[in-house]
Amino acid sequence: MASRINAPFSFWSQNPVLIKLDSPLDNAKQKFDSIVIVSSDVSKINLPESSFLNGYLQLLKHQKQYDSAFEDVETFLSPNISGNENIKKLVYSPTGPLDRHYDDARRFIEASNKGIRRLLKAGGKRPILAVLYEDSGSIGFDKYEQYNIASLLGAAEAIYVPLEIREDVPEKAAKIEILGYTSFGSISIPVLSSIELGRIMCRDIGGSDPERMAAPNVATYVKELFANTPVQVEVIDNSKIIEKEYPLLGAVNRAAKGVKRHSGCVIFLTYEPEGSYDKTVVLVGKGVTYDTGGADIKAGGVMAGMHRDKCGASAVAGFLQTVAELKPKGVKVIGAMSMVRNSVGSDCYVSDEIVTSRAGVRVRVGNTDAEGRMAMADVLCHMKEKVLENKEPNPCLFTIATLTGHACLAVGDGYTIIMENGPAALDNVGRKIQNAGHLIGDPFEVSTIRREDYEHHKGKSEYEDLLQCNNAPSSRTPRGHQSPAAFLIMSSGLDKHDINSEIPLKYSHVDIASSSGPFPGLPTGSPIPAFTASFIL
């Protein structure tokens, strides 16, 4: 199994499908059978006379005269350019306008993705992606400065093949043989490949079905992929240890632990750079391999797709994969994956139970379908303790989760929401990541945790300190995506490390319910690009 798992990684890193081409292309064009051209307006593009793309550009300019929708949809042509007889397929994929203040690098991601997908439908196997863009200076600054990385991330998503297909249908293990890339700008291939390797890992874990990526299989996959890398892996899978050290997670795991292949675990991933470091990034991810809702079962056909509730933990693993490839200096990265299946059965946890968290906080369960915060809270507490015990420099803690439907209603599809505690807000953690994500096409919105969110989770009787959740869906709960952040802060003991404490700790909650990808469809790998741009690049 290891060789099949590792195949896509060697495909990208040891035997790259991606070749950066300079113009003129010399004899490199002989390797390719097709071209995808991405531009905002072909009529405004001028190439050097020596560029072999000129013939295709002129063909597109001619076609535009007769097609009023030319800059709105993908166009497929079969060119016949003298000297370039090998290239039989041409796709033009427009970005749309780039001079609007509200646009961002997703224009390039989407155009490249659509162009490559159209080319694949036409049977292309060895395409060149040519992104023809130059900053006009019309908006005062180049907000598309990362357009090369954005374009290639869009193309890479189009050629990704799911893990289960690579394993079970080997003849479909690759959609293309080689990808050429040319543009007016420069690009670091190692950076691009590292981000995509992380996203591949994230998609493999997050997108695979609940049996292929049940918690024990996730642990096996992670250990194999991080073998012989700078990332150290530790797996805690003893249910008695989990119940003692992570009692909230242990409660969720009760119904699953009796089925060995479903039993939960906590996976720790640690990257420590060579030499000294002056910042520490700590990530805790929600890894619910399947969410039935538990005793508060998801009824009415809304359970389908719940194998994707592990995309937070998947993103943590993927980010560590990117870090392992780039080997950044000056930053330590610690990841924790809270892997559990929210099963229903005679031993499942139920509403009204009171469970004391690792931080000593009495939590009354309000709804078993709010299991994600239960899975992460004690692991977050553990990470807080490690940061303090080891006196890690400049720590920045995060939880990452497909946590609430409210996040999807609040910001719409494709956007990650980040919420900061006091110390993180003072350091503008959310804005910094938002700005980095904006440039690379991984957009964030910043929400605020307010006093109502803390009040919402305070115990309603003298029995409990906190109420885990009300009994309404988050989508029908006012401030439904903000209040869980307050719960995580209080249940983990991070409320003792706010701006008014002796040791303030920066903490942000990241809800990727809206940005993790559609179902049916592929996981996006968000927020790996934004975190890489913010903390590594």
Side-chain angles (χ1 to χ4, degrees):
M1 180 171 290
S3 62
R4 288 184 290 173
I5 287 178
N6 286 320
F9 289 83
S10 62
F11 195 56
W12 266 92
S13 55
Q14 296 168 10
N15 301 298
V17 296
L18 178 61
I19 295 180
K20 176 68 170 70
L21 303 172
D22 295 318
S23 187
L25 297 175
D26 300 323
N27 295 322
K29 62 180 180 287
Q30 303 302 323
K31 301 177 181 178
F32 302 98
D33 64 4
S34 49
I35 297 177
V36 175
I37 292 180
V38 170
S39 171
S40 64
D41 187 345
V42 293
S43 62
K44 296 180 180 179
I45 299 299
N46 294 299
L47 296 172
E49 291 184 8
S50 58
S51 174
F52 106 105
L53 290 172
N54 261 317
Y56 304 99
L57 187 61
Q58 294 307 315
L59 180 60
L60 294 176
K61 288 180 178 180
H62 177 78
Q63 184 74 13
K64 181 176 177 178
Q65 298 178 68
Y66 306 102
D67 186 354
S68 59
F70 188 78
E71 298 292 355
D72 298 323
V73 297
E74 302 85 61
T75 297
F76 175 83
L77 297 170
S78 180
N80 184 15
I81 306 296
S82 177
N84 299 313
E85 288 80 5
N86 288 340
I87 294 178
K88 305 292 187 183
K89 307 173 194 298
L90 173 63
V91 172
Y92 176 62
S93 187
T95 63
L98 297 175
D99 58 353
R100 313 291 172 82
H101 76 276
Y102 50 76
D103 264 320
D104 54 60
R106 285 175 297 168
R107 287 287 192 184
F108 291 92
I109 292 174
E110 292 161 3
S112 297
N113 185 280
K114 289 178 181 178
I116 293 294
R117 288 186 186 278
R118 179 65 183 89
L119 191 280
L120 291 172
K121 287 183 178 180
K125 293 293 185 182
R126 301 186 303 280
I128 295 171
L129 176 63
V131 182
L132 306 181
Y133 165 74
E134 284 184 299
D135 176 29
S136 64
S138 60
I139 56 175
F141 68 98
D142 189 4
K143 62 179 177 178
Y144 302 116
E145 64 183 54
Q146 301 282 2
Y147 80 92
N148 277 298
I149 287 181
S151 299
L152 282 165
L153 288 177
E157 181 178 335
I159 63 176
Y160 169 78
V161 178
L163 173 66
E164 289 147 303
I165 297 298
R166 301 197 309 267
E167 290 179 338
D168 299 338
V169 194
E171 63 271 20
K172 294 184 178 181
K175 292 179 180 177
I176 65 170
E177 298 170 11
I178 192 169
L179 174 65
Y181 181 76
T182 187
S183 72
F184 296 140
S186 61
I187 183 174
S188 169
I189 296 300
V191 169
L192 178 279
S193 293
S194 297
I195 294 174
E196 183 55 21
L197 285 170
R199 297 202 309 168
I200 288 172
M201 190 174 201
C202 180
R203 292 191 195 104
D204 281 0
I205 298 173
S208 292
D209 78 57
E211 291 297 330
R212 175 60 187 90
M213 281 299 172
N217 288 342
V218 173
T220 299
Y221 174 94
V222 167
K223 285 188 287 188
E224 289 183 356
L225 264 294
F226 284 121
N228 304 314
T229 76
V231 173
Q232 301 300 310
V233 180
E234 179 188 3
V235 178
I236 297 176
D237 56 8
N238 184 305
S239 60
K240 293 187 181 300
I241 294 176
I242 290 173
E243 288 168 3
K244 178 182 178 182
E245 300 294 330
Y246 315 105
L248 298 180
L249 172 62
V252 181
N253 188 46
R254 253 180 15 214
K257 70 179 182 180
V259 180
K260 188 175 180 179
R261 71 180 194 277
H262 292 163
S263 188
C265 63
V266 182
I267 305 170
F268 294 103
L269 309 170
T270 304
Y271 167 80
E272 190 162 339
E274 294 182 1
S276 61
Y277 57 94
D278 56 11
K279 61 180 176 180
T280 310
V281 179
V282 181
L283 311 169
V284 176
K286 173 186 174 182
V288 176
T289 61
Y290 199 74
D291 183 14
T292 68
D296 290 298
I297 197 130
K298 290 181 183 289
V302 299
M303 201 184 298
M306 286 299 105
H307 70 288
R308 297 281 281 273
D309 218 7
K310 56 188 182 301
C311 281
S314 306
V316 171
F319 181 63
L320 265 294
Q321 173 66 42
T322 295
V323 169
E325 291 290 319
L326 291 174
K327 301 177 180 65
K329 296 181 179 179
V331 57
K332 180 177 181 178
V333 183
I334 307 171
M337 305 167 67
S338 301
M339 306 305 305
V340 67
R341 178 179 171 118
N342 190 19
S343 293
V344 61
S346 59
D347 202 22
C348 67
Y349 85 125
V350 296
S351 297
D352 298 342
E353 280 190 45
I354 297 175
V355 186
T356 301
S357 77
R358 181 185 178 102
V361 180
R362 291 172 60 80
V363 174
R364 183 184 290 276
V365 177
N367 190 315
T368 63
D369 200 17
E371 82 296 332
R373 65 199 73 180
M374 299 280 284
M376 293 187 293
D378 288 331
V379 181
L380 177 62
C381 178
H382 188 185
M383 293 297 97
K384 172 203 69 178
E385 294 166 1
K386 289 182 70 171
V387 161
L388 295 173
E389 180 183 347
N390 298 333
K391 298 181 179 178
E392 299 289 0
N394 191 19
C396 204
L397 287 78
F398 297 89
T399 45
I400 304 176
T402 50
L403 206 66
T404 65
H406 191 273
C408 305
L409 293 177
V411 298
D413 290 344
Y415 291 87
T416 295
I417 303 180
I418 187 167
M419 294 146 273
E420 310 145 306
N421 74 348
L426 283 177
D427 195 34
N428 288 315
V429 170
R431 294 294 179 189
K432 290 174 183 176
I433 297 176
Q434 183 185 47
N435 292 339
H438 185 75
L439 291 177
I440 207 167
D442 190 7
F444 274 62
E445 299 288 9
V446 180
S447 283
T448 306
I449 309 170
R450 300 189 181 275
R451 65 183 183 185
E452 291 89 347
D453 303 317
Y454 290 91
E455 291 292 334
H456 179 76
H457 287 285
K458 285 185 177 178
K460 310 308 177 189
S461 74
E462 57 189 292
Y463 287 92
E464 72 277 348
D465 301 314
L466 295 181
L467 177 64
Q468 166 234 29
C469 183
N470 61 4
N471 52 17
S474 70
S475 56
R476 294 209 297 268
T477 300
R479 303 187 62 79
H481 72 269
Q482 294 101 321
S483 69
F487 172 82
L488 285 162
I489 289 170
M490 292 188 289
S491 60
S492 67
L494 273 170
D495 55 336
K496 307 299 190 297
H497 296 276
D498 212 324
I499 54 175
N500 57 352
S501 72
E502 292 184 6
I503 309 177
L505 291 176
K506 290 178 285 188
Y507 163 72
S508 302
H509 172 57
V510 179
D511 195 327
I512 60 170
S514 176
S515 63
S516 62
F519 178 78
L522 294 175
T524 61
S526 181
I528 294 169
F531 269 65
T532 303
S534 183
F535 291 106
I536 307 303
L537 303 184

